[in-house]
Amino acid sequence: SEVGLSIDSGYQASIALSAQLFMLLIGSILMDRFGGQTMWIVSSTGTTISLLIYALNVKFSWSKWIPMISLFGYQLSFGAGLASVPWYILPEPYPIHLKRTAQSIGTSMNWLSASIMMFLFPYLQLWLGQFGVMTLLMGINVLVLLFGIFFVRDKNMEMKKKGNNGIGFFKKKNDNRINDILVVDGSNDL
């Protein structure tokens, strides 16, 4: 394998991807508890640190196990937020009639970006070397972190902080005219 481990590369990939699968399984619980913005920040911080450790190991050849460990950490961190938060946050600011369109455009941009990156990756490795590519990806992750800090907002968490249960949670509201009205949208108005 390219990193120098004697373990079959298929097993290495399975080990690394199991981290993302594990985190995706518990990600919805974490997102409900901490919110999309927090999970975005934690996730992008973890991916940045994992890429930094990997890049430094490429530069200084610390250990042949560090690439596997940093890839596991990267996948774990990615699964914590960056894998799911964009799909959750993207349609929130749009009115109901534009949510599907926004989600479709976001999905298309995701696949287009992934395709471009997959195409360019071998050339980037030739031009920049492994250390340069990891440093570039780490820089992109720093920008993703800053984007999460300044621009990602989670309306459900903001509503929870205001004492409302958030969109999608049923809340009983008593009225003098009608008892037990179910309010679905999280608002206190009728």
Side-chain angles (χ1 to χ4, degrees):
S1 84
E2 193 174 312
V3 296
L5 293 177
S6 59
I7 301 172
D8 179 55
S9 61
Y11 290 133
Q12 291 179 39
S14 297
I15 291 168
L17 290 176
S18 67
Q20 186 174 351
L21 177 64
F22 169 73
M23 195 50 88
L24 283 171
L25 292 174
I26 64 168
S28 60
I29 297 167
L30 294 173
M31 194 171 325
D32 189 47
R33 173 76 173 102
F34 299 109
Q37 183 183 30
T38 302
M39 293 309 296
W40 181 289
I41 292 169
V42 167
S43 181
S44 56
T45 301
T47 56
T48 302
I49 291 169
S50 296
L51 288 169
L52 174 64
I53 291 169
Y54 184 86
L56 291 175
N57 186 64
V58 168
K59 186 78 168 175
F60 300 112
S61 300
W62 291 331
S63 169
K64 63 181 181 179
W65 285 95
I66 287 180
M68 184 68 197
I69 294 167
S70 61
L71 183 58
F72 185 85
Y74 180 88
Q75 293 290 343
L76 191 72
S77 299
F78 185 79
L82 292 177
S84 58
V85 172
W87 309 113
Y88 166 73
I89 297 280
L90 178 69
E92 277 191 353
Y94 299 103
I96 194 76
H97 67 281
L98 293 177
K99 286 183 186 281
R100 283 186 277 180
T101 304
Q103 194 71 32
S104 298
I105 292 170
T107 302
S108 300
M109 292 307 297
N110 182 343
W111 280 102
L112 178 64
S113 301
S115 299
I116 290 170
M117 191 62 207
M118 293 297 288
F119 174 75
L120 288 179
F121 192 79
Y123 297 108
L124 289 173
Q125 281 186 312
L126 277 173
W127 299 331
L128 305 174
Q130 190 73 4
F131 176 76
V133 171
M134 292 304 124
T135 306
L136 174 67
L137 294 176
M138 186 186 66
I140 291 170
N141 269 278
V142 169
L143 295 176
V144 167
L145 172 64
L146 294 173
F147 179 83
I149 291 170
F150 294 112
F151 296 109
V152 173
R153 296 291 172 254
D154 188 348
K155 286 184 180 180
N156 286 340
M157 285 308 288
E158 290 173 8
M159 292 172 76
K160 284 182 183 182
K161 286 178 185 175
K162 291 179 184 176
N164 200 342
N165 283 337
I167 296 174
F169 290 86
F170 290 98
K171 183 177 178 183
K172 286 192 173 187
K173 178 179 178 181
N174 290 323
D175 190 318
N176 291 336
R177 296 171 287 142
I178 305 170
N179 288 330
D180 297 331
I181 298 174
L182 289 177
V183 178
V184 177
D185 68 352
S187 69
N188 290 326
D189 313 339
L190 285 179

